[in-house]
Amino acid sequence: MPSSDSFVSQLSSKREWKSTSKRWGENASLNQMEGLKNNMYWGENENIFVMRKRVMVVVDQSSHSKQAMMWALTHLANKSDILTLLHIVPSSSSSSHYLAKSLGSLCKASKPEVEVEALVIQGPKMSTVMSQVKKLEVSVLVLGQKKPSPFLSCLFMKSSSEEFVEECINSLDCLTIGVRKQSRGVSGYLISTRWHKNFWLLA
């Protein structure tokens, strides 16, 4: 069974992912790199070259979004990368800001070398994701997936969350990955991209 590194390497050969993010310090010079593994940007700050990419995860109170967040943190985000947690809410509330802040603190405590930012935005889910991906020039978007409903599957129907993940995968310009942790007793994750559907990936 493929490891996460080999799987990501396979994805990187599918397409060249480009961005022009300038978030790495003042007076930085840009030298764009291509490919998923190398979709990072060199900036010169006090004669130190820093490479970073931006990984975004759409989070909420569900367990599958938190599992996707931790997968992105451990498998995609490297030292000096930016992990953006996007929490989309129908209306602003103190609890939504608390959730985003607590998830951000968890990520920072788990992997201090990764820069973590949490955004709470009010608005329609799909259009908000699309605008933020474009605005922040996201390299990789990670979405949590929950186990499909047997009832809906029998009717050849999909839940709203399944349709949302599928629409993001098929319509966004950045690499988009749907992540679902395997059931109890089975290790690894099921990964979905534009080229793979429920690909079993060992943790």
Side-chain angles (χ1 to χ4, degrees), residues 46-60:
E46 298 180 354
N47 299 320
I48 299 176
F49 284 95
V50 180
M51 298 188 302
R52 54 170 54 180
K53 63 179 178 292
R54 185 188 293 274
V55 179
M56 176 179 281
V57 185
V58 177
V59 297
D60 53 36

Side-chain angles (χ1 to χ4, degrees), residues 9-40:
S9 297
Q10 290 175 29
L11 287 181
S12 67
S13 65
K14 294 288 185 180
R15 177 176 173 178
E16 294 176 343
W17 304 95
K18 299 181 180 180
S19 179
T20 55
S21 176
K22 297 180 180 178
R23 193 189 154 120
W24 58 84
E26 296 180 356
N27 301 321
S29 62
L30 175 65
N31 187 9
Q32 195 174 68
M33 309 289 287
E34 297 179 346
L36 174 59
K37 277 291 191 181
N38 296 315
N39 194 11
M40 307 172 187

Side-chain angles (χ1 to χ4, degrees), residues 148-166:
S149 166
F151 176 73
L152 292 178
S153 298
C154 290
L155 298 176
F156 300 99
M157 298 174 62
K158 297 178 181 178
S159 66
S160 58
S161 62
E162 288 178 283
E163 291 178 343
F164 168 71
V165 172
E166 190 170 290

Side-chain angles (χ1 to χ4, degrees), residues 74-89:
T74 57
H75 293 77
L76 292 179
N78 300 314
K79 184 177 181 179
S80 299
D81 286 345
I82 305 170
L83 178 67
T84 301
L85 307 181
L86 176 62
H87 187 200
I88 304 169
V89 294

Side-chain angles (χ1 to χ4, degrees), residues 16 34 51 57-58 62 66 68 70 76 81 87 91 100 104 112 116 120 131 137-138 141 143 146 168 183 196:
E16 294 176 343
E34 297 179 346
M51 298 188 302
V57 185
V58 177
S62 66
K66 295 175 184 176
M70 295 308 296
L76 292 179
D81 286 345
H87 187 200
S91 59
V116 180
V120 179
S131 65
E137 297 171 321
V138 172
L141 174 67
L143 305 167
K146 61 181 179 181
C168 287
S183 303
H196 301 82

Side-chain angles (χ1 to χ4, degrees), residues 127-144:
S127 59
T128 300
V129 170
M130 293 181 69
S131 65
Q132 291 302 307
V133 164
K134 184 176 181 180
K135 177 183 178 180
L136 300 177
E137 297 171 321
V138 172
S139 305
V140 188
L141 174 67
V142 178
L143 305 167

